[in-house]
Amino acid sequence: MSARYLKSLIAIVVLVILWFSFTRWNKHKSREEAQKANQTSAQKLLSATSGQIQSFTLTARDGAAFTCDKQGKTWSITKPQATSADQDKINSFLQSLTSATEGEQIAARPSNLKDYGLDPPAKTLAVTTDTTPVEFTLLLGDETPTNSGIYAQVAGRPQVFTLTDDVKTALEKKLFDLRDTHAVTLPSDQINRIEVKNGSQSVTLAKNPDGMWDVLLPTSARADHFTVEGLTDSLQSLTMQSIVSESKTADAKYGFAKPTLTVDLITPGGSQTLVIGKRADQGYYAMNSALAPVFTLDESSVTQFQKSAPDFRDKNLFSWDMFDVKRFDVTTPKGHWAFEQNKNQWKQTAPASKSAPSDDVNAFLSTLRGLQASSFPASKPGDMNQFGLDKPSYTFKVTFGSKNQTEVVDVAQAGGKDYARRASDELPSEVSESSVAAIENTFQKLSK
């Protein structure tokens, strides 16, 4: 083959390759432009923004309807009767409405709207705005055969189109879905007293001047701060599971005459009382003194209050942090020892003055700080002799913090069990034998 023909062949091959490449690129470009055109042509259901909507009414096929109106910047449910609305849920609903677009057009001029569940519609959403259009009505029909969405139509326009399943879920709401269902409306971070009546048993929890929680009834004791704070925090999200009556006119029907539980919640600015009645099909009937309806609460919301005083008590005998300790004293039947820290160095100051190994001090303090109640025996204030605490085997005094705070704990044995009591506590605690043994072992090593 001559060089002339070879060059011609190569040129032809190159041209073919370029032609195929151009054709493929052109098809790809056409698809992209078609996709953009489809995205551009996707028509929004409503041109108004959520901030321009002033009211809306949702009517079900059976005729049940409710209306929400904006009053200033706040939404309220005004019909069938006035009640508070959940602002976050309303805003989410409006955002879904104003961002929704029409899906596939099913029929330009349908001959029979019943074929799509639009005569009558399953839901009718009538909207009033302060812009154009002033009024807008969306009709929601039956699900599509593939259950991937629903049929819909805008009043005044003949076309039937589809809406996706997520838009369906966002817009097909009942009154309960948008109302304020908080069972407690007090600010949970301001609650400073909780009074629980559980049958014949009463427990009162209160914040002391230091902002820490105490158990006041049946007997004064330190409360576990995190347990009580967890309880108050849960009140922020305590929600009604259902509304069974919009008024409290039939109290006896729900067991409120002899309640399962009564919870008084008190803040500096006001109080509310939760009354828990008898069991419902799911959970319990309940009412709040500050709210109109009778509602239900799930079982876990109720059982968190059905605790005895010991369940709320602080199991820790000490509260200091190791890096805050400045001095500690240990008194045993064999004598008294004192240790002090100076510039991060520990020294034994009694019964003799000598340096104390930091590792041994830290091991002892760590074991001592871990002393916890394993249970709380039944007792009365001042009744310490039956627990051996009128003549304790050990007394631990720890000085800590910038204000030289002190905590003193006595430990004793009686009836084959070990008990401890912090000096500020009226009642003793039972502690495990192993925890006392660990304290004894680490102290023996330190006091050699």
Side-chain angles (χ1 to χ4, degrees):
M1 182 181 292
S2 67
R4 179 181 175 184
Y5 287 117
L6 181 60
K7 290 180 180 179
S8 297
L9 181 61
I10 292 173
I12 291 171
V13 171
V14 171
L15 286 172
V16 171
I17 292 173
L18 289 174
W19 182 82
F20 274 109
S21 298
F22 175 78
T23 302
R24 185 173 181 181
W25 176 85
N26 194 42
K27 288 182 178 179
H28 177 72
K29 188 69 174 176
S30 298
R31 283 196 299 268
E32 283 187 341
E33 290 175 352
Q35 288 175 354
K36 290 181 179 178
N38 288 336
Q39 292 173 357
T40 304
S41 63
Q43 185 171 343
K44 293 185 70 174
L45 287 178
L46 179 61
S47 59
T49 66
S50 58
Q52 292 170 325
I53 295 176
Q54 301 301 305
S55 71
F56 64 88
T57 299
L58 266 167
T59 305
R61 185 174 282 159
D62 63 5
F66 67 93
T67 299
C68 296
D69 289 302
K70 185 161 67 172
Q71 300 164 344
K73 294 184 178 180
T74 303
W75 284 92
S76 297
I77 297 172
T78 54
K79 296 178 182 178
Q81 63 184 54
T83 188
S84 298
D86 188 304
Q87 304 303 306
D88 291 337
K89 293 177 181 177
I90 293 280
N91 290 331
S92 177
F93 173 83
L94 296 178
Q95 181 61 35
S96 297
L97 172 62
T98 55
S99 63
T101 57
E102 296 180 12
E104 179 186 0
Q105 186 177 120
I106 301 300
R109 292 185 177 276
S111 58
N112 189 356
L113 290 176
K114 289 185 178 180
D115 294 340
Y116 308 101
L118 290 166
D119 183 20
K123 292 276 187 180
T124 301
L125 172 58
V127 177
T128 302
T129 77
D130 60 6
T131 185
T132 302
V134 175
E135 294 183 346
F136 167 85
T137 301
L138 177 66
L139 311 177
L140 303 178
D142 292 340
E143 290 187 350
T144 61
T146 59
N147 295 324
S148 59
I150 56 171
Y151 298 115
Q153 184 183 49
V154 174
R157 290 167 45 193
Q159 299 89 348
V160 172
F161 52 88
T162 61
L163 293 176
T164 59
D165 191 56
D166 58 336
V167 174
K168 167 187 178 294
T169 302
L171 298 184
E172 288 191 336
K173 298 298 183 184
K174 298 178 181 178
L175 188 153
F176 183 79
D177 298 325
L178 298 180
R179 74 183 292 166
D180 187 348
T181 56
H182 287 92
V184 173
T185 56
L186 291 171
S188 61
D189 59 347
Q190 294 182 25
I191 295 174
N192 58 14
R193 188 179 178 96
I194 302 172
E195 299 175 0
V196 182
K197 296 181 180 65
N198 182 10
S200 60
Q201 179 177 284
S202 296
V203 177
T204 297
L205 307 167
K207 272 188 178 179
N208 59 37
D210 295 327
M212 303 301 289
W213 286 94
D214 290 325
V215 179
L216 298 187
L217 287 176
T219 308
S220 179
R222 289 176 298 113
D224 186 299
H225 186 76
F226 295 105
T227 296
V228 183
E229 284 292 297
L231 182 64
T232 59
D233 288 346
S234 72
L235 295 172
Q236 191 73 31
S237 56
L238 188 65
T239 54
M240 307 171 188
Q241 299 302 296
S242 65
I243 302 293
V244 295
S245 173
E246 291 292 351
S247 66
K248 306 185 184 84
T249 55
D251 294 358
K253 178 180 178 181
Y254 305 108
F256 297 139
K258 294 181 179 180
T260 299
L261 201 66
T262 302
V263 183
D264 292 311
L265 305 168
I266 301 164
T267 72
S271 63
Q272 294 181 2
T273 300
L274 272 177
V275 181
I276 312 300
K278 63 184 180 181
R279 282 186 175 274
D281 291 337
Q282 293 182 341
Y284 288 82
Y285 294 114
M287 66 178 181
N288 182 329
S289 60
L291 304 175
V294 175
F295 49 91
T296 59
L297 292 175
D298 62 39
E299 189 161 349
S300 63
S301 299
V302 176
T303 55
Q304 65 179 339
F305 291 101
Q306 292 177 312
K307 296 180 178 180
S308 62
D311 295 324
F312 292 107
R313 284 184 60 178
D314 191 350
K315 293 180 172 59
N316 292 305
L317 273 300
F318 292 102
S319 63
W320 38 265
D321 292 317
M322 284 182 55
F323 62 83
D324 275 341
V325 176
K326 295 182 175 181
R327 174 189 169 102
F328 60 92
D329 295 74
V330 179
T331 302
T332 78
K334 296 181 179 180
H336 170 259
W337 283 260
F339 298 82
E340 293 184 4
Q341 184 182 180
N342 183 24
K343 297 180 180 180
N344 295 323
Q345 297 295 319
W346 281 98
K347 184 178 181 180
Q348 178 182 301
T349 59
S353 180
K354 63 178 183 178
S355 62
S358 294
D359 289 346
D360 292 344
V361 171
N362 290 335
F364 171 73
L365 289 176
S366 177
T367 307
L368 186 65
R369 178 62 178 82
L371 187 63
Q372 288 188 325
S374 57
S375 66
F376 298 102
S379 59
K380 296 180 180 179
D383 186 15
M384 296 296 109
N385 60 335
Q386 65 171 311
F387 305 104
L389 290 166
D390 55 333
K391 296 179 180 179
S393 303
Y394 296 95
T395 298
F396 304 101
K397 178 181 178 182
V398 180
T399 304
F400 61 97
S402 59
K403 297 181 180 180
N404 290 325
Q405 299 165 262
T406 61
E407 290 178 352
V408 179
V409 171
D410 293 329
V411 176
Q413 190 177 76
K417 295 182 179 180
D418 291 288
Y419 299 96
R421 184 181 73 93
R422 187 156 135 176
S424 58
D425 293 345
E426 293 184 352
L427 304 176
S429 306
E430 183 177 344
V431 294
S432 68
E433 182 180 355
S434 59
S435 62
V436 175
I439 292 172
E440 290 174 335
N441 291 336
T442 54
F443 181 67
Q444 285 177 5
K445 185 176 181 180
L446 175 63
S447 59
K448 285 182 179 179

